[in-house]
Amino acid sequence: MNGALKAAWALTAFVVVAGLVLWLTTGEVIFAAFIVLGVLTGIGAWLTGRTQPPGRPGPKENTPS
């Protein structure tokens, strides 16, 4: 797991927890949007942060030298 992916997961956790805490403490339903955005961030991090399987060339390995 690279640094950018770790940062995305940290952001996801922070946004979801902040949304949940703010929703519970204030009673404002608008903070549910934080939870939804955090989940979408996590899905995006999972979909874009996966590494290539071993043996498959990455984008830099396909360019001729």
Side-chain angles (χ1 to χ4, degrees):
M1 187 180 303
N2 61 21
L5 186 57
K6 287 179 186 179
W9 284 117
L11 176 64
T12 298
F14 174 76
V15 169
V16 169
V17 170
L20 186 61
V21 168
L22 289 169
W23 189 8
L24 292 175
T25 57
T26 66
E28 297 289 328
V29 181
I30 191 68
F31 291 114
F34 280 51
I35 297 169
V36 171
L37 291 173
V39 169
L40 290 175
T41 303
I43 291 170
W46 182 76
L47 290 175
T48 61
R50 293 180 289 171
T51 58
Q52 289 283 79
R56 289 189 60 194
K60 290 184 181 178
E61 296 173 14
N62 288 335
T63 57
S65 39

